[in-house]
Every structure is written in C-alpha cells, then in structure tokens.
Amino acid sequence: MVGIAFIEKMLTLDETKRYRLVTCGEESHLAYNRVALTDYFQHRSVEKLYLNQVEWYTQQDPEHFLFHTGERVTSLDTAAHSVTTSKGRNISYDYCVLATGSESTLPPYVSPVRAERAQGIFVYRNISDLDKILSYSEQEHVRGGRAVVVGGGLIGLEAAKAVFDLETISEVVIINRQNFPLSRQLDGEGGEIVLRRIEAMGVRVLTRTSVKDIITSDGVLTGLSLSDDRYLKAEIIIHAIGITPRDDLARQAGLKCVEKGGIVINDLLQTSAQDVYAIGECASWKDNTYGLIAPGVEMADILSFNFTQVETGLGGFKPRVMNMPDLSTKLKLMGVDVASFGDYFADKRSARGVLTSKVAVAEPLTRDKVQKAIDAKPTAWQISPLGSTPSNRAKEGEVAINTVTTGMKHGSRRAALDGPIECLTYRDPFSYVYKKYIFTADGKYLLGGMMVGDTSDYVKLVSLVKKKKELEEPPSKFIIGSGSKGPDDGADLDDDTQICSCHNVTKGCISESVKAGVTTLSDLKAKTKIGTGCGGCVPLATNIFKAEMKKAGHAVSNHLCPHFAMARQELFSIVKIRKLKTFPEIMEAAGVKKDSLGCEICKPAIGSILSSLYNELVISPVHHANQDTNDKYLANIQRNGTFSVVPRVAGGEITPDKLIVLGQVANKYNLYTKITGGQRIDLFGANKQDLPDIWEELVAAGFESGHAYGKALRTVKSCVGTTWCRYGIGDSVGMAIHLEERYKGIRSPHKIKGGVSGCVRECAEAQSKDFGLIATDKGWNIFLAGNGGSNPRHATLFAKDVPPSKVVRILDRFLMYYIHTADKLMRTARWVEQFNGGIERLKAILLDDELGVCADLEREMGELIGSYADEWKAVVNDPARRRQFRQFVNTDERRPQTEVITERGQERPADWPKQLPPAKLGESVIVTPKAEWEWRKLATVNDLMPTDDATTSAAVKYGDSQLAIFHVPRRGYFATQQMCPHKRAFVLDHGIVGDDLDGNLYVSCPLHKRNFRLTDGKCLNDEDFSIIPFDVKQEGDNLLVLLPDSGNLDEVIGTSKWMIKQAAAEVSSRGGEGIEIAGVGMGPPQSGSACTGGQSLCSGGNASLDW
C-alpha cells in the first residue's frame, strides 16, 4: 500500500515527466488494500480490494510507469545501480526505493520449516495466507473444529473475526498473554470493555497465558500446549503476534539494518547506500518501525516531494524531513469501534515525574448535571487519597478525574503541555462504551485519549491534539458531547483538519476540490484518494462534501431527476394520496414537463413506487417500459447480453428432487451454475429467447422467481437451527422460510436481504442483513439496517427477546416505513444513518407507535402480500408475453453475442479486454452514400407491440448486422445499431428510452448507462462514443428501415467484426497492438468514422502494463 501510494504521488507531482517508474511486485495481484483483508472472507474477490482498478494502470504512459506483478527483486547491486528479479530481468536505476513491507512474526516454537510442513499452521498477512486458511477450513477433518488465534492485537482481532465468520469453524479462541486485548492501544478498563464485547459474541479469550508448543499427529495440527501446562484442542492456529520488517534484500546488499529488523534510514529516508531509500514497514527510523498505514503514506509523501519539488523550474525548495508520525488509529475490530489518539498513555508513564496522584469521582453522569457543571464557574473538586482498591475505578455512568502532578509551574502554553495532567474517564459496560481523555491540569489543552464503542468525535479530537490548540469548551463537554443532533458536516473543523489519516486528506482538500469542479463523491475519491484506505472517514467526508457543495452554490439537490423537482419520498406520497397508477399520469400530475418520457433514473424509481403500492405485474404493457433491463426480462443481464436465472429457494432449504431439476435444466440449456451467497443456485448464460422455456420447466417443478433481478426481497438466509444443530435455540429455517414467503416479490427502494440465526453463534450472518433475527432463550433479537457491499454496516439491535408471534409485525412496520420514506436506490443502512433522529427515533415510531402509523403500515403490508403473483408463471402462461423474449423479431436464427470459452468444466463468455479504444461510429463510415440506401422491410408494427402510454423496442437481424427499432408514443419509430460500442455489447434494444427537458430522445445502454441520442447517435454522457442511427417509416403494418446493402453495412457493424473474442482480450491485457476487435477493413479514417477518437479501433493501443 505504501509503494503504490508513492507511485501515485510521483505520477501526480512529476509534471515534467523527469522520472520513469519501474515497479516489481512479488504477489501476482495488483496493489490491494491490506487494511480490508478481512472483507476478502466475505466476497472472495481480490479485485474488490484493488486500490486502483486495472483501467488505472492501462491509462498510464508506459514510458513513465511500468508495473511488473509476480516478479520479486532477488538482488540489489548498489555499486552498479541495478537490481535483478526472479525472472532474470536486470533493471538499472538512478534511484532505488525499497517498500518491501513486513512479514508475520513466528514464535520460537514454530520454525519456518515446521510452519511449512505441518498442516493447520497459518499467519494472517496477505491474500495468499487467507486463501490457504479458506482452503484448509473446508477439509473434512477441520469442519466443525476450533480455530485458535495467537495474539490479541489489531491483526489478531482481525484474524479472529475472519475465522469466526466461517461457517466451517464452530469455535474461535483467542490466546493473549496480556490481561486484555489491544494493550498497545488501550488501558485496562478500555481493554476490558473490548474483552467483554468479544466474549459476548461467543469467542473465548484466554488471557495471561501463551502457547508453549504445538501438537501434531502425522504432520497435522491437533492441539496446543499452553504455558500453564493446559492442553487446548485445535484444528487451526493463526499466529498474529507481530510483524518483522522484510529487510533480507537490503542485508544481502550490505545496507545497514537494525538487529531486530528494519532498514536504517535518516531523516531524508536515505539508507546507508547512495541513491537507495526505504519507506513503509521495512524502514527503521530512529530505531522505530511502524506497522500502520499512515506513517508509511507520510514517508511516501516526503520522498515524492523531495524527488519532484526540491528542484523545479520555479526555484528550489527545502527538502522535507521525517518527523515523529502520528500513531492515532481508528478501526472497527470484532464489531467494536476502537480509537486511540495523541499521547494516549501519558498518564501511565513514570517519565512524566509523578510526585502525587489523586482521584476524584463525580456524581453519576446525567446530561443535566454535567451541563450545569459546564455552565457553572470552576469549583474545587473534593479529593480523596489514591489507593489500590476497586473503588478508585470509574463505575458505570461515572466520570473520573485522575490527577498526575509533577510540581511544574504552568504559566505558559509550553509549561501547560509539559506539566501535570488530568484525565476524564467515562465507562458504560452495558453499551460497551469507554472513553478516556487526557488534558493538561488547567484543562486548556487536550493531550490524547482512547475510545471504545463511540468514536464519533475522533477526527475533531485528533485535530485538537495535533495543533495543540487551546480548548474553547470545558473538558467535561468532550465526554458528553454538545447534545447536537443530525449528521456532522464538519462545520466546526478547520481547513487543515485531517479527515483521512490513511492518505492525509484535509477538510481544505475537499473544499478546494469542489471549487475546482469536482461534483461527485466518486470524483472526489479519485482526485484525493479519500476513503480508499480503511474507509473509516467516508461518512464524515461525505457530509463535508455535501456541505462544501452547498457553499459553492452547487446545491446538493434531492430531486429525483430533472423531470421531477422533488425527492422520491415526496413523489411516493403524491402517488399514494392521489392514487396515480401509471407513469403518464404521474408525469402529468407531478412532472416538470407534462409530456416528457422520463429517463433512466425516474422510470425505474416510479416503477418501484407503483409496485410498492399496487404490486401489478411489471411486465404489463403500461409498466414494462419503466423497468430497467433486469426487471424488464425478469432475469439479471450479464456482460455478454445473456441472462442469469435464480429460482427462489426459501431459507436455503431444497429437496433432492428440485436439485435434480436444476441440474437437468442447466444441462439442457448449457448453463453455468454457481451457488450464491444467499443460499441459492444461479444459472448463468441463458439466452433471452430461452428464458420462458426455462421458467416453464422450473415452474412445473414447483419453483418461482427468486427476484434476484429486482430491487426487492432477495433471500432470507438461515442456519439449520433446531432442525439439526446441537446448539440451536430457535427454528431458524422455519422462520426464514416464513419471512421469505411473506415478503417475496415486494419492491422497495433498493434490494432487501434477511438472515435468521438459531443461536448467538450467528452462522446466518443476520447482523449483516437489512433485517436479521438471532434466537435467544426468550425469543428473537431483531437487528436492522445492516448490509455488506462496498460500504458495509453492522446491523443495529432494534428489539430484544421478541416473541415469535410479534416478530412479523415489527418487520412489517420497518419494511413498509422504509418503502415510504427512503430515497431512490438507498439501502436500509444508509436510510437509518441519515434518518432524522436515527435508530432511537425509529424505535419510537415503529415500536412505541409515536406517530400512530403502525396499524396503517401493517395493513399496507398485508395488502401487498395479498397481491403477490409469480412473474415467471405470468409469462409462461401468456403467448403474447413470451413473444417479447425473442432475440430477433424477423427471424428465428440465433446469433451468439460473445465468444464462449470453457473454464473448470463450464462454459462462460470470453473476457472483456482490459481496455477498449474509443469508438465513434457514423453514417460516413459506410462505403455506400446514403442517397443510394434503400427502404427494406425488417419488422411489422405488431412485432413492436406499440402502446399509447409507453415506449417499446425490438431487435432485428440484417445480414450479419443487428439493429434496434424503437417506438415512442406520439413521436414515431426510430432505429439504431444494436451494439453499444462502450463494451461491444449487443443490448441497446433492452435499454430504457428517455428524453431530456428539451425533448431530445435517447436510449440508455443497460450495461453502463451510456446514453445515445436516437436522432443522430451522439453519446450524451461520453464523448468517446457514438452510434449509427437509421431512418424508419411505417407502410401499413410493415416497418421499413433505410439501409445500405447488407454487405457494406456488415463491414461496419457486423456482429462478427465486433464480437468479443478471448484471443483479442488476452492480447489487449498484455498491451499488445493490432487487436482485431472491430473496424478491420473499414477503409481510411473519415470524420465521424469508426477509426477516429484518438485511436483506431483496429489497434489495441500501446502497452500500458508489462506483466
């Protein structure tokens, strides 16, 4: 991570292109986020951890940046200024930067040879380590076994959480030689809070002990021998006892290294060898190495600055030097927010010259009492002598003031900062919250602190410590907060306040970015890297961004889209109150322009609203055009234009007979099969024209639509509960099936997932779902508003020990209220986070019925449930609807859209090339002049099934070319090529047809939302692409399209010319030239031709990656 941070900064700062960066990475992967390693256990996709996607690398100039993966530097010759790699490559350098990182430390009883040979022994450091753990946990003798994690620090708790979530592991034990976990970040009381939270999850923690040796049988781990002579059975052991700098390359080259590990560097990050530098975990500065990302990124900042800014055309600049880094940390470990900042152990060090120590305990904390103390004049605390009895510890709900005196005078700021200190401590074990803040004795300066459970003030407090800023409020106010409500927009933060510690992004950087024209959060991330490290800064960064947008005059509009000047919630109320039932009725009643078609934003949103209120079939003609492609065809469109089919398997329970049917259907239609994360079976590669036939066979076997394509209930995941499990308390399978059957088919602002666990072992991961239940001996604990994905959120405990008979009523209210009030495409997690008053307000509304709406919400849910109809069956039983699924309306001939390859015994589409060149197609590229084109019958009016209320579309085949024909009410017929040039996908007839407020018609590609104008083919949101439009006219019942000879048209847009092929993708991935993807034989480039746009379509471009 530090290496790629240095590269990014160099590429940004080296404006004169003075340097050529050549990087060797030992792993086969591109640079990924090691802070988020634990997430890999959930999605198993290293690409989701990439700090920069592959496209970023391909966009770099190979003359200035080359990146070799899977290639380790094996020797460094400092005299010759060259390195040699594991592939025999010799690379000369002017400057060499070592960012070799660190490796996990193994204990004395496990030699590297023993760790390699014995099965069941692991470390937790990189993707390879995680893959080994995952693979081993699936072995039969490990399933249901115990995993032991040695080490209770940051990495240890990360590792423990990862294996705790594995369904194959039944028990997790943490062995920690200290009295409590996180002893380097927390004191005893804070550590105890974390310990209690971990144990409440069902994880055992053995403290004040260590492992003496491992026990194996035939080379397989069977147990551990502890220092207190106890034996602990174990199938897996993960060592997380620390890291060791990787300095072996430096030692071989004769660089000065620290005996305990680390390459010695000076303040300029120079090693003992000329022109060789070291940064990150491998570097030892003043006998210190740092395992956190922030110090490493600071080193990357310093070195890139010194390389590029010390000598510039604008004059010289003093080199930056290394200063003591900020070791503040904020992480979420085992579901607990933990933070430490500043000098957080200032009260523990005898070096401060403690002469006397006293403690005073305030009355139990209440907001009124503390506020009075804040407003009152300073008073003398009643001091009692410090003893060693437990009474001196802060009790529940108390604030403790610990005074450490050095006898120094504090008549100045420096004297205050170096003088006596006092601590404010708050401890609430019931909510797992602990705070300790350390102040100067006069209460004017904050020195440091630690937080457990509630870290909401972390950014503000770190800023106060760094700037040594005199406090404007009494210290006690930092414990209770200001009492303000609503999201924190950082209004009280200075511009130089660090918001993202991973990449040192300040509040001012966000403000300047907005002023420079950044208008989306994704662009802000790309520009500043904020939120791309640990991700902990994203909520505050988002709020600051919105506030800055508003200040800059870019009002952050909550309007649904340009067609509706209102939020989704407001539109929902209008539709409900006025009982509007079609899109045209809604546009006329609430739209900005009464006769607009709408767009790819408002159409699906209104389609969802209508379904949530009336639940009419989305395939009905009046609703069909409002649906995104997935809902339109009741299946998930894939990158090659085929679809995936996911039948409902309620609660994950399925009979052998149904499994056999799925296998038979998959074999018959040659479908790729995969088990989903929601306990279902996904059938990939279904052709659109085969969907009704596939559904017919599935419906006959008792299956229904699984709604994997809709913003609706997906699954309710379950463990086996009391059905089979010896630990089961509740019937999780039965409850999951009941809930899934109840809420199936209900549309909502975004997808909904549920989970039901039969005991606190939580095998169904209910706390990561939109709604989740966990069985207790008194009923069900209900958790709400969790989700995974790119911005995961742990669900919040909403109600405890709920009787089974009342669970459904609470969930009915929650889901219906979410449907009423959430914004478009907003998950329940974000909805709760932004809900005014938060979860407590929701409890008042949905549990206490403070607004008197609970009965209405339950009634509305009951009406929705009663209107359910299986959408697949509705198509199967209607010949007219089946006709909508033809590939081409003018022929039964089938045309593959992408080359198919075989992998692991199953067929899948060829890979997309890593980079595709721009493609601007136009009439002028066709050899035949338009004056010589002829009208050709390609379809009938009935083929498009036109209506007065909605657009319709269909695909036709002409020679080897594919065209899309569209009907727009009151505007007539239009035609374009079927292929979207962005990803060479033949899918435009599936797209939503919309218009802007000026009446310009366009089709939105269903894959990546490139919008092409129907009249001239121009792409409205990406100037690198355009398509060819064609004239259409109606003669009686026939539709005629003005076209050149099929052979001439095939030369330009023929399917075989543009079809993605694996060979082409592989050449493109290697950066090769001459890739025959499309456009071959088109003739010389012309204005608007396929070979314009900066790069010919006949070439894959220059190599941007040297693999």
Side-chain angles (χ1 to χ4, degrees):
M1 293 178 70
V2 173
I4 195 65
F6 172 72
I7 291 168
E8 291 170 351
K9 295 173 191 300
M10 285 291 293
L11 292 173
T12 300
L13 295 175
D14 184 23
E15 296 180 355
T16 62
K17 306 296 183 184
R18 176 183 172 189
Y19 297 98
R20 184 172 191 253
L21 303 175
V22 181
T23 304
C24 293
E26 180 180 22
E27 295 186 74
S28 60
H29 312 291
L30 299 175
Y32 58 86
N33 188 352
R34 296 180 189 274
V35 179
L37 267 183
T38 301
D39 295 344
Y40 182 73
F41 275 73
Q42 303 300 321
H43 52 65
R44 313 288 173 92
S45 170
V46 67
E47 287 79 9
K48 292 184 178 181
L49 297 182
Y50 280 171
L51 294 167
N52 293 296
Q53 293 304 309
V54 175
E55 289 78 9
W56 180 84
Y57 292 87
T58 63
Q59 291 164 4
Q60 307 307 319
D61 183 352
E63 292 300 315
H64 296 285
F65 175 42
L66 287 178
F67 195 99
H68 303 286
T69 58
E71 188 166 358
R72 180 171 58 91
V73 173
T74 55
S75 67
L76 165 64
D77 188 336
T78 59
H81 274 53
S82 68
V83 299
T84 304
T85 73
S86 56
K87 294 185 178 180
R89 193 193 310 266
N90 187 272
I91 305 173
S92 299
Y93 67 81
D94 295 300
Y95 303 99
C96 178
V97 180
L98 300 175
T100 51
S102 62
E103 59 189 359
S104 295
T105 303
L106 287 171
Y109 56 84
V110 180
S111 66
V113 174
R114 191 181 189 191
E116 184 68 27
R117 292 179 177 175
Q119 298 182 38
I121 302 174
F122 302 96
V123 294
Y124 194 86
R125 190 65 188 156
N126 55 38
I127 292 293
S128 176
D129 296 330
L130 270 61
D131 282 337
K132 291 174 183 177
I133 294 171
L134 288 168
S135 176
Y136 190 74
S137 69
E138 295 289 342
Q139 295 190 20
E140 192 60 36
H141 73 280
V142 179
R143 284 181 167 273
R146 173 188 292 157
V148 175
V149 176
V150 181
L154 298 174
I155 299 176
L157 297 193
E158 284 282 317
K161 179 62 168 66
V163 291
F164 177 77
D165 288 338
L166 291 179
E167 295 185 1
T168 53
I169 299 300
S170 65
E171 183 182 5
V172 176
V173 177
I174 299 174
I175 296 178
N176 188 41
R177 64 181 180 180
Q178 307 295 335
N179 291 338
F180 51 87
L182 301 178
S183 57
R184 292 190 178 185
Q185 287 77 32
L186 301 174
D187 61 11
E189 295 196 14
E192 182 188 359
I193 292 286
V194 175
L195 177 63
R196 292 174 62 173
R197 179 63 185 270
I198 293 172
E199 291 177 334
M201 294 175 63
V203 176
R204 289 176 58 195
V205 183
L206 304 181
T207 59
R208 291 179 290 182
T209 189
S210 59
V211 178
K212 186 164 58 177
D213 201 358
I214 60 172
I215 311 298
T216 61
S217 175
D218 296 327
V220 178
L221 177 72
T222 58
L224 314 172
S225 173
L226 304 183
S227 57
D228 53 11
D229 294 328
R230 281 186 293 173
Y231 170 77
L232 184 65
K233 183 178 180 296
E235 281 69 35
I236 289 178
I237 183 172
I238 301 174
H239 292 100
I241 59 175
I243 56 175
T244 302
R246 294 190 62 182
D247 56 10
D248 48 329
L249 178 66
R251 289 181 186 274
Q252 293 171 12
L255 274 63
K256 184 178 179 181
C257 296
V258 179
E259 182 179 352
K260 64 181 180 180
I263 307 167
V264 175
I265 58 172
N266 61 17
D267 290 352
L268 295 173
L269 310 181
Q270 297 167 325
T271 69
S272 58
Q274 185 178 357
D275 298 328
V276 180
Y277 299 79
I279 58 177
E281 296 171 344
C282 68
S284 175
W285 178 70
K286 295 186 177 180
D287 287 328
N288 290 308
T289 56
Y290 302 99
L292 300 173
I293 182 177
V297 173
E298 176 68 12
M299 292 180 183
D301 262 331
I302 293 170
L303 192 56
S304 59
F305 180 92
N306 291 346
F307 273 141
T308 60
Q309 306 302 305
V310 172
E311 297 178 8
T312 68
L314 302 176
F317 200 94
K318 183 179 179 180
R320 288 178 56 184
V321 296
M322 185 71 180
N323 293 304
M324 186 61 68
D326 176 30
L327 301 182
S328 302
T329 57
K330 183 169 83 76
L331 296 168
K332 194 179 190 77
L333 300 164
M334 300 292 286
V336 186
D337 290 304
V338 177
S340 55
F341 61 93
D343 195 355
Y344 47 88
F345 282 146
D347 60 328
K348 300 297 182 184
R349 292 196 311 276
S350 59
R352 292 190 67 87
V354 178
L355 298 179
T356 61
S357 295
K358 300 177 181 180
V359 64
V361 179
E363 295 180 13
L365 179 66
T366 65
R367 183 171 297 277
D368 291 341
K369 291 180 179 178
V370 178
Q371 192 62 49
K372 289 177 182 178
I374 293 173
D375 297 335
K377 294 180 180 180
T379 59
W381 293 93
Q382 180 179 354
I383 306 298
S384 57
L386 176 67
S388 58
T389 62
S391 61
N392 287 315
R393 298 172 58 189
K395 298 177 182 178
E396 289 77 1
E398 295 181 342
V399 179
I401 298 89
N402 303 310
T403 306
V404 183
T405 309
T406 63
M408 293 181 63
K409 298 179 181 179
H410 26 110
S412 68
R413 176 178 159 211
R414 174 50 52 194
L417 293 171
D418 292 337
I421 63 174
E422 290 190 352
C423 302
L424 279 181
T425 305
Y426 174 67
R427 180 173 179 270
D428 180 4
F430 304 108
S431 300
Y432 300 108
V433 173
Y434 174 76
K435 300 179 183 181
K436 182 177 76 175
Y437 301 154
I438 305 172
F439 301 86
T440 56
D442 58 7
K444 292 183 178 180
Y445 298 97
L446 177 66
L447 302 177
M450 55 188 65
M451 308 156 140
V452 177
D454 177 10
T455 59
S456 55
D457 292 330
Y458 172 80
V459 171
K460 296 178 183 178
L461 300 184
V462 170
S463 177
L464 290 173
V465 171
K466 283 185 175 181
K467 291 192 283 187
K468 300 179 175 61
K469 185 176 180 180
E470 186 170 338
L471 305 180
E472 299 175 354
E473 297 175 326
S476 50
K477 200 163 187 176
F478 289 88
I479 289 289
I480 66 165
S482 63
S484 62
K485 296 183 178 181
D488 182 4
D489 63 1
D492 57 346
L493 301 179
D494 295 333
D495 280 349
D496 60 354
T497 299
Q498 186 186 67
I499 305 302
C500 174
S501 60
C502 291
H503 293 284
N504 192 27
V505 182
T506 64
K507 177 186 174 184
C509 289
I510 300 175
S511 176
E512 290 303 316
S513 296
V514 172
K515 292 176 183 177
V518 171
T519 57
T520 68
L521 196 59
S522 59
D523 288 343
L524 181 70
K525 289 182 177 181
K527 182 178 177 65
T528 66
K529 293 297 177 181
I530 194 166
T532 60
C534 69
C537 63
V538 170
L540 179 58
T542 301
N543 291 336
I544 293 175
F545 173 69
K546 290 180 178 179
E548 292 298 326
M549 285 282 289
K550 189 173 183 179
K551 279 198 292 185
H554 307 299
V556 183
S557 173
N558 66 346
H559 293 174
L560 186 64
C561 72
H563 296 94
F564 292 93
M566 62 188 71
R568 185 240 178 220
Q569 305 95 305
E570 297 166 328
L571 185 59
F572 185 97
S573 298
I574 290 174
V575 174
K576 179 183 177 183
I577 293 170
R578 299 184 63 175
K579 295 182 173 57
L580 305 174
K581 291 198 171 185
T582 67
F583 187 91
E585 289 177 359
I586 296 170
M587 182 66 76
E588 185 174 351
V592 173
K593 191 176 178 183
K594 308 304 180 184
D595 60 349
S596 290
L597 280 180
C599 63
E600 71 279 9
I601 298 173
C602 62
K603 279 190 167 183
I606 289 175
S608 172
I609 289 173
L610 291 172
S611 292
S612 296
L613 286 172
Y614 311 115
N615 211 17
E616 296 176 352
L617 288 171
V618 297
I619 51 176
S620 300
V622 72
H623 301 311
H624 201 229
N626 303 332
Q627 313 304 319
D628 237 327
T629 300
N630 289 352
D631 279 296
K632 184 180 289 187
Y633 295 107
L634 310 181
N636 291 63
I637 192 169
Q638 303 302 320
R639 60 183 175 86
N640 66 336
T642 64
F643 292 81
S644 64
V645 176
V646 187
R648 186 167 301 287
V649 180
E653 184 182 72
I654 189 169
T655 65
D657 287 341
K658 284 190 172 183
L659 280 173
I660 291 171
V661 170
L662 292 177
Q664 291 172 335
V665 169
N667 272 328
K668 179 176 179 179
Y669 295 94
N670 200 26
L671 305 179
Y672 175 107
T673 57
K674 186 181 181 300
I675 307 297
T676 74
Q679 299 178 332
R680 303 196 287 191
I681 297 176
D682 206 337
L683 310 176
F684 288 87
N687 292 307
K688 182 176 73 172
Q689 59 269 31
D690 290 331
L691 288 175
D693 295 334
I694 293 172
W695 297 336
E696 186 171 16
E697 295 189 35
L698 293 177
V699 169
F703 286 105
E704 294 179 313
S705 165
H707 291 92
Y709 48 81
K711 304 303 183 206
L713 177 76
R714 298 290 179 84
T715 65
V716 181
K717 188 174 182 179
S718 75
C719 65
V720 294
T722 53
T723 308
W724 285 96
C725 182
R726 64 187 186 278
Y727 300 112
I729 296 175
D731 180 8
S732 52
V733 178
M735 177 62 82
I737 292 173
H738 176 76
L739 294 177
E740 189 162 341
E741 291 290 346
R742 180 173 181 82
Y743 299 127
K744 63 184 180 185
I746 291 176
R747 266 26 183 229
S748 55
H750 211 298
K751 61 186 176 185
I752 301 171
K753 297 181 180 180
V756 184
S757 289
C759 71
V760 294
R761 301 173 71 82
E762 240 287 71
C763 295
E765 302 164 333
Q767 294 175 84
S768 65
K769 301 295 188 287
D770 296 278
F771 63 85
L773 307 179
I774 300 178
T776 72
D777 56 359
K778 297 180 181 178
W780 296 95
N781 284 353
I782 299 179
F783 292 82
L784 298 180
N787 71 257
S790 59
N791 188 12
R793 181 185 188 273
H794 196 276
T796 301
L797 179 60
F798 190 73
K800 296 180 63 176
D801 301 326
V802 178
S805 60
K806 295 185 178 180
V807 166
V808 170
R809 292 176 59 192
I810 294 175
L811 293 183
D812 281 357
R813 299 171 185 177
F814 168 72
L815 293 175
M816 208 65 226
Y817 199 57
Y818 162 65
I819 290 171
H820 273 243
T821 60
D823 202 356
K824 65 180 186 296
L825 298 178
M826 178 180 280
R827 293 291 300 271
T828 59
R830 305 288 86 78
W831 173 62
V832 167
E833 289 172 353
Q834 298 182 27
F835 191 81
N836 189 18
I839 199 73
E840 294 303 319
R841 178 61 178 158
L842 275 177
K843 288 180 180 179
I845 294 171
L846 302 180
L847 297 180
D848 303 333
D849 200 13
E850 200 168 87
L851 300 181
V853 297
C854 288
D856 292 330
L857 296 174
E858 292 174 26
R859 174 184 52 76
E860 290 175 15
M861 180 59 77
E863 292 172 354
L864 271 183
I865 292 165
S867 63
Y868 170 78
D870 180 26
E871 293 165 343
W872 287 357
K873 189 174 183 180
V875 171
V876 168
N877 294 336
D878 188 334
R881 287 173 177 159
R882 293 181 79 129
R883 290 179 60 242
Q884 295 175 290
F885 289 81
R886 292 173 293 173
Q887 182 178 14
F888 306 115
V889 297
N890 64 334
T891 178
D892 292 331
E893 182 182 348
R894 292 169 175 244
R895 192 68 172 89
Q897 315 284 30
T898 299
E899 183 182 51
V900 174
I901 65 172
T902 300
E903 185 175 66
R904 294 184 295 276
Q906 296 198 85
E907 291 188 354
R908 70 166 181 86
D911 296 318
W912 270 339
K914 294 292 193 306
Q915 183 182 24
L916 288 168
K920 303 186 78 169
L921 301 173
E923 293 175 357
S924 58
V925 76
I926 301 173
V927 175
T928 308
K930 190 170 183 179
E932 298 178 15
W933 295 9
E934 298 179 7
W935 290 101
R936 306 174 192 271
K937 177 194 170 187
L938 291 183
T940 67
V941 171
N942 190 45
D943 286 330
L944 266 77
M945 304 173 68
T947 73
D948 293 334
D949 296 321
T951 61
T952 59
S953 58
V956 295
K957 186 174 181 295
Y958 176 65
D960 191 39
S961 300
Q962 299 184 40
L963 307 180
I965 302 178
F966 307 92
H967 175 259
V968 181
R970 298 173 296 281
R971 302 287 291 274
Y973 292 92
F974 300 84
T976 69
Q977 66 189 58
Q978 167 75 331
M979 181 201 66
C980 174
H982 173 237
K983 288 295 185 181
R984 317 318 195 219
F986 298 83
V987 294
L988 288 185
D989 75 309
H990 302 344
I992 287 178
V993 175
D995 63 3
D996 59 25
L997 294 182
D998 293 327
N1000 293 306
L1001 297 172
Y1002 63 84
V1003 59
S1004 182
C1005 174
L1007 294 192
H1008 298 105
K1009 302 303 179 187
R1010 265 44 178 201
N1011 296 340
F1012 299 97
R1013 199 151 54 197
L1014 294 181
T1015 52
D1016 61 9
K1018 178 182 178 180
C1019 185
L1020 302 177
N1021 51 6
D1022 193 333
E1023 62 183 10
D1024 285 339
F1025 302 98
S1026 62
I1027 62 174
I1028 304 175
F1030 301 97
D1031 297 334
V1032 186
K1033 71 177 181 179
Q1034 178 180 349
E1035 287 188 355
D1037 292 332
N1038 296 322
L1039 297 179
L1040 285 68
V1041 183
L1042 187 62
L1043 295 168
D1045 178 81
S1046 61
N1048 290 334
L1049 187 60
D1050 291 344
E1051 284 295 317
V1052 179
I1053 61 171
T1055 304
S1056 58
K1057 294 284 185 184
W1058 292 87
M1059 178 187 291
I1060 296 295
K1061 299 178 181 178
Q1062 185 66 14
E1066 290 173 354
V1067 174
S1068 176
S1069 298
R1070 293 194 297 268
E1073 298 186 4
I1075 301 171
E1076 185 177 347
I1077 298 174
V1080 178
M1082 287 186 179
Q1086 305 173 40
S1087 175
S1089 76
C1091 292
T1092 62
Q1095 191 177 37
S1096 168
L1097 286 184
C1098 308
S1099 169
N1102 294 324
S1104 297
L1105 274 173
D1106 190 351
W1107 294 94

